[in-house]
Amino acid sequence: MNRMIKFTAFATLLVIFASCKESVTPTLDVEGGKIEGIELDNSVVYRGIPYAAPPVGDLRWAKPQPVADWQGTRKCDNFGNAAIQAKHDPNDGVYGTEFYAEDAPMSEDCLYLNVWTPKMASAHPEKKLPVAVWIHGGAFMAGWGHEIEFDGDAWAKRNVILVTINYRLGLYGFFCHPLLSAEDENGISGNYGLYDQAKAIEWVHNNISEFGGDPDNITIFGQSAGAMSVKYQVASPVSQQFISKAIIMSGGGIGGLSLNQTGNQEQLDAPGLDMMNMAGLYTLEAMRAATPEQLDSIVQNYQKIMHRQLPMRPHNDEVFAPLTFDEAVAQSAIADIPYMIGGTADDLANLDKGCDKFAFLRNSLSEQPTFVYLFDAPAPSDGRKCLEGSFHSSELWYVFNTLSRSWRPYTDADHALSEKMVDYWTNFAKFGNPNGNISSTSANDSLIWKPCTIEEPYIQELCR
């Protein structure tokens, strides 16, 4: 009996010790107050950090405002809400099956980010670790920063801090209306989601030293609409000063894939005015008082009657995006930094020529390198043809080293490719060079990823 009591007491102590070990993480001071994270295998993760005030009430359809202070220490152990978006059907095509098998909690209160930092990094701020900020895709209508395929532990293992963000989508992120334009000091409405992204990047610049990061070494990267967002950010006078490197994944280069709205502000405001008038909402107070459910019904009714979609995407304006990306590249108005750009072998559109054009034009205008890639690793499937190939977004499991979370029967060769790609991406974040801290031009190795230039249009193939 005594032996049993001693054994039980010893086991209890082990449990207590283990739980204490997991809960002891650095308490950091960031905008708003103190935060505490949780330990993973290679990192400490801080989930659901607010980077701006909740965009609700009078802040619906307003530029992001500073976060409100909180009392005590905020335990950042749960991801923040995803932006409001349509519910996903897990059996609906590739993306429901692939990434959206389970929806995240959604709310207008969605301006949160997540930080994975190497263990003990915050105790050694003098190391100034490189930082990468991920902007998710989803056609500016869907997605969130903690989808199943996103994770920062493998990045932290390589001494790169990863940040993923949420931003406003659809109606809440890109709605235009003449009353919203009239209340803005520059006479502009829409693009709230782009301003959210810029606010998050600025937050990282202002706070990342607490996590052991270097505020002067921030790489932004994204895929699909996230890549188009990167293109907006590097071309924007609002945010480009905070960016030291950029990766554009399946977002095209010069020409090609675009979700950009066109027209002047009056033209962009007109559909929003018609829709709200049709719903009997004639004031900003009435529009901001409507519930998300009411707004969804208003949008659906408008689109049914008018037989057209309400445009809810970014557009060029006079402040955030005075030039299109193509114009900004040609006029050397984008951030003059190293770039990585590419796509998948079975992408949504023929993006490779646009990526090449971008690299060639940059090569003629700047001494900063551009690295171009093509991902060609057809996804192993279960026989369903629609889920095969190197389709748009299929590289995400590899970039974040999360193949083990997928239902697909990935092989050792896939895991080896993922390790190589995480090395490339994190090396680029560290040095602006996917090979690491070496000269791409002096090495005589066929495995070296060379910049894409007019004289040598090198494309790095990423395959098993």
Side-chain angles (χ1 to χ4, degrees):
M1 183 67 177
N2 288 339
R3 288 180 63 190
M4 180 60 69
I5 293 173
K6 289 180 180 179
F7 177 80
T8 303
F10 178 71
T12 302
L13 286 172
L14 285 178
V15 171
I16 292 172
F17 176 77
S19 63
C20 288
K21 183 178 179 182
E22 290 179 359
S23 65
V24 175
T25 61
T27 299
L28 308 182
D29 283 304
V30 298
E31 292 176 13
K34 297 181 183 298
I35 59 172
E36 185 179 282
I38 58 174
E39 282 193 13
L40 301 177
D41 290 341
N42 302 297
S43 62
V44 176
V45 60
Y46 298 82
R47 298 170 177 156
I49 306 172
Y51 67 83
V56 300
D58 290 342
L59 296 184
R60 177 188 282 174
W61 301 312
K63 294 172 186 174
Q65 298 300 305
V67 67
D69 293 343
W70 58 83
Q71 299 297 316
T73 299
R74 186 183 185 110
K75 183 72 172 178
C76 293
D77 55 353
N78 289 306
F79 293 113
N81 299 314
I84 290 181
Q85 58 200 270
K87 299 288 186 180
H88 297 94
D89 181 351
N91 299 309
D92 183 18
V94 175
Y95 299 105
T97 302
E98 196 73 10
F99 306 123
Y100 301 135
E102 185 175 344
D103 273 325
M106 300 173 189
S107 172
E108 281 191 82
D109 178 8
C110 63
L111 301 185
Y112 297 91
L113 54 77
N114 317 293
V115 182
W116 286 261
T117 187
K119 292 179 180 178
M120 300 304 293
S122 60
H124 298 281
E126 72 280 358
K127 291 187 177 182
K128 291 189 173 182
L129 297 180
V131 186
V133 178
W134 171 252
I135 305 174
H136 70 78
F140 298 106
M141 297 290 291
W144 50 88
H146 58 280
E147 293 172 22
I148 187 173
E149 72 275 23
F150 305 148
D151 194 276
D153 205 46
W155 287 60
K157 184 179 180 180
R158 292 160 171 83
N159 286 320
V160 175
I161 297 172
L162 181 72
V163 181
T164 69
I165 69 173
N166 294 345
Y167 55 96
R168 282 173 284 180
L169 303 169
L171 179 71
Y172 302 89
F174 301 99
F175 179 62
C176 296
H177 191 283
L179 292 179
L180 292 171
S181 297
E183 77 169 1
D184 181 77
E185 60 184 348
N186 297 299
I188 294 169
S189 61
N191 286 344
Y192 306 111
L194 294 183
Y195 276 101
D196 293 343
Q197 297 169 7
K199 182 70 173 177
I201 295 168
E202 182 181 10
W203 186 98
V204 171
H205 179 270
N206 294 342
N207 294 274
I208 205 63
S209 58
E210 277 286 303
F211 301 83
D214 183 355
D216 297 319
N217 189 7
I218 297 174
T219 298
I220 66 169
F221 70 129
Q223 183 267 346
S224 192
M228 291 177 236
S229 298
V230 170
K231 292 165 72 172
Y232 274 106
Q233 298 299 333
V234 298
S236 176
V238 173
S239 51
Q240 62 181 204
Q241 70 269 26
F242 301 122
I243 304 167
S244 64
K245 307 173 196 72
I247 305 175
I248 302 168
M249 300 166 53
S250 293
I254 300 298
L257 193 63
S258 175
L259 292 175
N260 186 54
Q261 291 190 74
T262 58
N264 60 37
Q265 191 66 55
E266 183 177 356
Q267 292 169 324
L268 294 167
D269 288 344
L273 176 64
D274 290 344
M275 183 182 75
M276 289 300 182
N277 284 351
M278 188 179 295
L281 302 181
Y282 304 110
T283 67
L284 287 180
E285 291 77 13
M287 287 187 278
R288 285 174 169 148
T291 66
E293 292 77 15
Q294 288 171 328
L295 289 176
D296 181 63
S297 178
I298 288 169
V299 171
Q300 296 302 321
N301 186 58
Y302 172 82
Q303 293 180 160
K304 181 179 180 180
I305 292 174
M306 301 301 293
H307 303 288
R308 66 179 182 183
Q309 296 291 311
L310 180 72
M312 292 183 286
R313 302 186 301 274
H315 68 273
N316 288 96
D317 59 35
E318 297 177 1
V319 179
F320 191 93
L323 300 172
T324 68
F325 180 74
D326 291 6
E327 292 168 342
V329 176
Q331 297 178 33
S332 296
I334 63 170
D336 191 23
I337 56 178
Y339 287 88
M340 184 191 296
I341 188 170
T344 67
D346 302 311
D347 230 320
L348 290 178
N350 186 14
L351 302 180
D352 53 344
K353 291 183 179 179
C355 294
D356 295 347
K357 289 179 182 178
F358 172 75
F360 298 156
L361 187 52
R362 284 291 296 162
N363 181 226
S364 70
L365 297 172
S366 172
E367 295 183 358
Q368 296 285 1
T370 298
F371 297 90
V372 181
Y373 71 87
L374 177 67
F375 176 84
D376 191 6
S381 185
D382 57 4
R384 286 177 286 180
K385 293 295 183 183
C386 68
L387 302 177
E388 295 178 348
S390 299
F391 58 86
H392 185 74
S393 308
S394 60
E395 81 280 28
L396 295 178
W397 299 111
Y398 295 79
V399 170
F400 294 96
N401 199 228
T402 51
L403 295 170
S404 60
R405 297 181 180 179
S406 173
W407 58 268
R408 294 179 182 273
Y410 286 114
T411 66
D412 289 345
D414 291 295
H415 287 277
L417 175 58
S418 176
E419 293 288 341
K420 180 189 293 186
M421 289 176 63
V422 178
D423 284 342
Y424 280 147
W425 264 243
T426 54
N427 278 338
F428 184 80
K430 293 174 184 176
F431 307 111
N433 183 338
N435 307 288
N437 192 22
I438 62 173
S439 171
S440 299
T441 55
S442 64
N444 225 0
D445 190 331
S446 62
L447 298 178
I448 292 297
W449 184 344
K450 302 170 187 177
C452 184
T453 65
I454 299 170
E455 294 78 16
E456 188 175 8
Y458 184 85
I459 311 297
Q460 181 70 28
E461 291 190 12
L462 302 171
C463 51
R464 299 182 187 91

